[in-house]
Amino acid sequence: MEEILRCEKISKVFVVKDFLGINRRKVTALNNVSIRVNKGIDLGVVGESGSGKTTLAKVLLLLVRPDSGSVYYRNNDITGLGDSKLVFFRNKVRIIFQNPYKSLNPRSTIEKTLREAIPSRRVNPEMIETALTQTGLPSDYKNRYPHQMSGGERQRVAIARAIAGNPECVVADEPTGNLDATTEVNILKLLDGLRKNLGLTFVFITHNLKIVVDFCERIVVMYQGNIVEEGSVEQILKSPLHPYTKILWNPSSITSIREEKYKDFDGCVFLARCPYRKKICFEHHPVLKEKEKKHLVSCFLYEQEKMV
Amino acid sequence: MRRLLQRLKNHSRPAYFSLWFLLVFYFVSFFADILAPYHFDQQFRNKPYHPPTKIHFFDSGGNFHIRPFVYNTVIDDPVFKTYKQDYSKIYPLKFFVSGKERRIFFFFKTKRYLFGVDQPAGIFLFGTDNYGRDIFSRLLYGGRISLSISLIGVFISFSLGMITGGIAGYFGGIIDQILMRLVEILMVFPSFYLMLSLRAMFPLNLSSIQVYLLIVMILSLIGWAGLARIIRGMVLSIKEEDYVLAARSLGLPHWKILLFHIFPNTFSYSITAITISVPGYIIGEAALSLLGLGIQEPYPSWGNILSSTIGNLRVLGDAPWLLLAGIFIFVVLINFNLLGDALRNVLDPKNW
Ligand SMILES: Nc1ncnc2c1ncn2[C@@H]1O[C@H](COP(=O)(O)OP(=O)(O)OP(=O)(O)O)[C@@H](O)[C@H]1O
Ligand code: SF4
Ligand SMILES: [Mg+2]
């Protein structure tokens, strides 16, 4: 299998200061996260808000530098390279941001935005019009500013920008997260068409399970910066292992309320919400281990031998 | 640009008016050579502290003249400098009169001025000073110096502030540390003393063009630090915005990201800030002139016209027209402030 992008043991901690800079709080956005993107196999990343999905996307593109761990593009370690040495990579792996209201420069016309996205030296007007029509926008939109467009239209521009470099992989960070249901369907159709026509591989980040099931082949489930489960769509759908994944499939079945009394323990990240917690969960981190063939989970329920 | 003007007009009529008013002001003072009836150092030795000349349409016989005219005046009381009009001859106002050759911007020569009257009468719209020089002409010429000092000064400090603040904020780390410590050193000195001590580093007897350049340098050196500091802060937050990350994810070089994605998004602050800071340069020059360190006589600037009146109490009572320079400064200041306030809103994409 042809590997495009891989990251290994990525950790990222943000230090959040309060207004006066006196109280510092550490937020672990990513903890020891490893993923692998293979050509033609779309990878879904699922997790609730704040689970570190966007941070993972930014680290994969080296827009945010990880505290530790490495990013590999086609088996070359690119973690330490500066922006100026990453140009080749930038054209091959691109990103669609979560919020189309923030991801377009409010002072650039659409034409200018797209012009920058096309790597060739001489950009002629037809190329820009092609990029627009490819995403279903009329070509006279090129003279508009972002504020003159709807959210869905903006997201189409962001998609046009991402594919303009003719990339092999696109990291889509909740591309429909800020859109209404019908627009969402249209955008997903567009992405699906582009994937087929251009042979793109997607890393599809979302909190909406229905989308990943339709769209992806492998799924990574994240919780508070940790990967708690990874497997094929089939495996995750039919036989979810981790308690959190079960909650995701059936939100009403288990309480989603975090119990405050558990928050000070340095054990499993899911401890506070887990109905199956055991003694060992309070003291140790479960590690991500292969349970079945290519189906990984990090939970002590599946580590029989270790249990006392 | 046209869209911007339209927005300004819709947003605030007074500010739109201010813009045109300032443009006219700048235009008038840049073409002082054509518009001023007298050269700035032309003296009427027999007419010091002359009040503004009266312009007449009816002569002493009560006849109406379609062309306005003035009378010559002679000194009435040599101590208190009062004048009486000599009704024996009328001096009609003439347009496009010819006179001594003047050079506009050192290049174009002109021998014709917009208006004037024949000698020995004089047309002093705003009166004369102690040497009998026409205040109106001096204000036009002085405006050229004061306004251009402010424009060039603002341009230099704007560029310095944007570049330093932009680089410090964007690259961060050791570059940021060095640049910001430098800025802080400049900022700890009260700007007035800094201005004085910088001026003191240079000799007093400089040629007028040297003094002009020196003042521009001093004023812009003082002005840029504060701007750099604030731009740095803005860049620090803007560089984390999604659209900047998006630009980075396209592999654009740093300079393009700074120039096209970061700087334009500081404009609603920075353009406003520099607009509002323009009068500061005019006042800074005036302050130096007041201490005799600014533009030297006979060259006029609004500052030194004003300074020749301050400290001379009699003048304040008897020749109040000399204070017009102060009013000019004040009017320009108000208009820049009005314009700056409106620009803040007009330049913000949120309001488009
Ligand atoms: N620049 C930052 N500074 C400080 N904390 C940050 C920063 N970026 C992210 N975080 C924190 O890291 C955690 C993960 O954030 P992230 O944006 O990756 O979540 P997410 O999974 O994308 O959530 P959502 O679904 O809401 O987009 C959050 O707790 C967030 O507060
Ligand atoms: S490790 Fe323990 S607490 Fe964590 S999910 Fe598994 S059972 Fe629940
Ligand atoms: Mg996110």
Side-chain angles (χ1 to χ4, degrees):
Chain A
M1 231 180 280
E2 198 182 341
E3 176 189 298
I4 300 176
L5 198 59
R6 166 167 56 108
C7 68
E8 273 179 11
K9 299 197 173 124
I10 298 287
S11 293
K12 179 77 195 176
V13 176
F14 290 107
V15 179
V16 189
K17 289 183 222 167
D18 70 354
F19 172 61
L20 291 171
I22 300 165
N23 294 322
R24 286 155 182 263
R25 202 166 49 87
K26 285 186 175 173
V27 179
T28 308
L30 293 175
N31 181 22
N32 218 353
V33 170
S34 308
I35 64 167
R36 178 192 292 261
V37 184
N38 290 321
K39 190 162 183 66
I41 313 248
D42 297 298
L43 180 71
V45 178
V46 199
E48 61 190 16
S49 189
S51 56
K53 307 182 298 291
T54 299
T55 312
L56 176 63
K58 288 178 183 168
V59 169
L60 277 178
L61 278 107
L62 290 176
L63 297 172
V64 166
R65 303 278 161 174
D67 296 339
S68 64
S70 318
V71 180
Y72 297 85
Y73 170 69
R74 296 207 167 262
N75 245 332
N76 297 315
D77 188 348
I78 55 171
T79 329
L81 299 185
D83 273 7
S84 47
K85 290 189 180 149
L86 281 172
V87 178
F88 74 96
F89 166 70
R90 298 272 186 233
N91 289 328
K92 288 293 158 201
V93 180
R94 289 223 167 152
I95 184 169
I96 300 167
F97 283 92
Q98 184 168 3
N99 189 346
Y101 292 91
K102 286 185 177 168
S103 66
L104 301 176
N105 185 344
R107 290 175 190 275
S108 292
T109 57
I110 302 312
E111 176 172 13
K112 212 171 149 221
T113 298
L114 292 179
R115 187 177 288 272
E116 289 173 339
I118 301 172
S120 84
R121 282 192 180 278
R122 289 176 170 273
V123 179
N124 51 32
E126 286 100 79
M127 294 163 104
I128 286 162
E129 281 164 21
T130 319
L132 278 172
T133 45
Q134 224 172 6
T135 51
L137 287 173
S139 57
D140 61 344
Y141 268 43
K142 67 180 183 201
N143 295 322
R144 296 203 180 193
Y145 283 89
H147 69 270
Q148 296 164 327
M149 305 172 73
S150 74
E153 288 166 343
R154 291 187 204 204
Q155 197 59 297
R156 283 172 194 269
V157 172
I159 292 168
R161 172 172 65 187
I163 60 170
N166 207 8
E168 51 184 338
C169 176
V170 172
V171 178
D173 181 11
E174 303 201 42
T176 58
N178 279 283
L179 307 173
D180 64 78
T182 33
T183 321
E184 174 167 29
V185 172
N186 290 333
I187 294 278
L188 289 175
K189 270 189 197 148
L190 169 67
L191 290 176
D192 192 40
L194 290 172
R195 166 170 68 175
K196 286 180 185 130
N197 295 339
L198 306 174
L200 296 173
T201 305
F202 273 100
V203 175
F204 205 97
I205 296 172
T206 176
H207 57 259
N208 188 338
L209 284 160
K210 270 180 67 190
I211 297 178
V212 268
V213 170
D214 292 346
F215 213 89
C216 307
E217 277 146 75
R218 273 190 84 71
I219 294 182
V220 165
V221 182
M222 290 185 70
Y223 186 78
Q224 283 191 10
N226 293 263
I227 293 182
V228 293
E229 186 166 357
E230 180 184 341
S232 67
V233 171
E234 194 104 314
Q235 288 163 332
I236 303 263
L237 187 66
K238 298 254 170 72
S239 54
L241 295 175
H242 197 277
Y244 177 60
T245 320
K246 290 176 185 165
I247 291 185
L248 283 176
W249 288 132
N250 193 354
S252 58
S253 70
I254 305 170
T255 173
S256 63
I257 297 163
R258 225 169 275 203
E259 290 177 47
E260 284 297 306
K261 59 181 173 181
Y262 295 113
K263 77 175 199 310
D264 290 331
F265 289 97
D266 184 28
C268 171
V269 279
F270 196 57
L271 184 67
R273 280 167 66 178
C274 184
Y276 311 115
R277 59 185 159 252
K278 302 186 290 190
K279 203 163 149 251
I280 189 171
C281 309
F282 287 82
E283 284 136 26
H284 297 282
H285 278 292
V287 283
L288 194 64
K289 280 197 183 136
E290 193 159 18
K291 169 74 175 25
E292 297 154 10
K293 189 174 172 295
K294 292 208 155 194
H295 189 174
L296 295 81
V297 65
S298 109
C299 173
F300 286 123
L301 290 179
Y302 306 95
E303 290 188 27
Q304 262 84 11
E305 61 276 28
K306 249 195 176 177
M307 266 190 272
V308 194
Chain B
M1 200 63 202
R2 192 136 110 246
R3 196 162 3 184
L4 212 65
L5 275 182
Q6 190 58 43
R7 275 195 209 111
L8 182 64
K9 191 173 168 187
N10 293 342
H11 177 75
S12 155
R13 279 292 165 127
Y16 186 69
F17 175 76
S18 291
L19 177 69
W20 284 108
F21 179 85
L22 288 167
L23 285 177
V24 168
F25 237 78
Y26 272 79
F27 180 85
V28 164
S29 52
F30 278 148
F31 290 99
D33 282 309
I34 297 176
L35 300 174
Y38 302 107
H39 195 247
F40 60 79
D41 58 0
Q42 187 175 347
Q43 301 181 355
F44 289 79
R45 281 301 173 86
N46 54 348
K47 293 186 169 83
Y49 293 127
H50 191 292
T53 307
K54 291 194 183 71
I55 294 169
H56 301 268
F57 286 96
F58 294 95
D59 62 22
S60 47
N63 305 317
F64 176 73
H65 294 251
I66 193 94
R67 183 190 279 269
F69 62 90
V70 301
Y71 292 113
N72 189 16
T73 52
V74 288
I75 208 148
D76 192 24
D77 181 340
V79 178
F80 290 103
K81 302 283 189 305
T82 54
Y83 293 86
K84 64 169 186 263
Q85 294 185 334
D86 170 9
Y87 296 113
S88 59
K89 185 166 189 268
I90 68 168
Y91 296 88
L93 190 64
K94 288 180 177 168
F95 290 95
F96 302 108
V97 293
S98 57
K100 262 222 207 99
E101 182 175 287
R102 299 177 190 166
R103 283 161 180 253
I104 310 175
F105 301 125
F106 309 104
F107 299 119
F108 313 104
K109 295 170 189 167
T110 176
K111 283 185 175 173
R112 293 197 173 271
Y113 327 135
L114 186 64
F115 65 94
V117 295
D118 289 337
Q119 305 263 22
I123 177 151
F124 312 119
L125 292 181
F126 293 164
T128 69
D129 65 6
N130 52 339
Y131 297 111
R133 295 177 301 194
D134 178 30
I135 294 290
F136 177 72
S137 301
R138 283 178 67 76
L139 281 175
L140 291 193
Y141 278 102
R144 179 152 82 189
I145 290 179
S146 293
L147 294 176
S148 66
I149 281 184
S150 64
L151 270 199
I152 301 172
V154 146
F155 178 77
I156 296 176
S157 30
F158 181 68
S159 316
L160 272 177
M162 288 300 274
I163 292 171
T164 330
I167 289 177
Y170 186 74
F171 293 104
I174 185 83
I175 305 176
D176 182 25
Q177 294 294 325
I178 294 172
L179 290 176
M180 283 306 111
R181 293 303 86 76
L182 195 81
V183 162
E184 276 153 17
I185 291 173
L186 273 177
M187 285 176 74
V188 291
F189 295 108
S191 57
F192 190 71
Y193 293 103
L194 185 60
M195 193 164 79
L196 288 186
S197 43
L198 283 173
R199 180 64 183 89
M201 284 160 55
F202 294 89
L204 275 175
N205 54 344
L206 295 171
S207 79
S208 51
I209 186 89
Q210 281 171 328
V211 172
Y212 178 87
L213 291 177
L214 184 65
I215 289 174
V216 171
M217 287 303 169
I218 290 175
L219 292 178
S220 40
L221 203 66
I222 292 168
W224 71 275
L227 187 67
R229 186 89 228 186
I230 290 161
I231 293 297
R232 168 187 173 268
M234 296 188 78
V235 172
L236 272 181
S237 79
I238 292 175
K239 77 171 178 180
E240 301 292 336
E241 294 280 343
D242 278 356
Y243 55 81
V244 175
L245 293 183
R248 274 180 60 203
S249 80
L250 301 174
L252 297 186
H254 293 309
W255 67 268
K256 272 196 183 172
I257 292 175
L258 262 175
L259 210 60
F260 299 135
H261 296 272
I262 295 183
F263 282 165
N265 287 290
T266 65
F267 280 172
S268 59
Y269 171 79
S270 53
I271 304 243
T272 306
I274 62 154
T275 307
I276 290 179
S277 76
V278 172
Y281 293 80
I282 298 173
I283 291 167
E285 186 277 325
L288 281 175
S289 291
L290 215 58
L291 299 166
L293 300 170
I295 302 292
Q296 299 297 313
E297 294 271 354
Y299 292 93
S301 74
W302 289 353
N304 72 13
I305 295 172
L306 192 62
S307 79
S308 65
T309 63
I310 309 274
N312 189 344
L313 278 180
R314 215 210 72 190
V315 168
L316 292 184
D318 292 351
W321 50 86
L322 286 176
L323 288 174
L324 273 168
I327 290 174
F328 272 47
I329 294 176
F330 180 67
V331 167
V332 167
L333 184 143
I334 285 188
N335 281 295
F336 267 113
N337 281 353
L338 265 175
L339 182 63
D341 271 346
L343 278 181
R344 193 199 323 272
N345 293 318
V346 170
L347 288 169
D348 190 345
K350 283 194 200 91
N351 299 329
W352 290 357

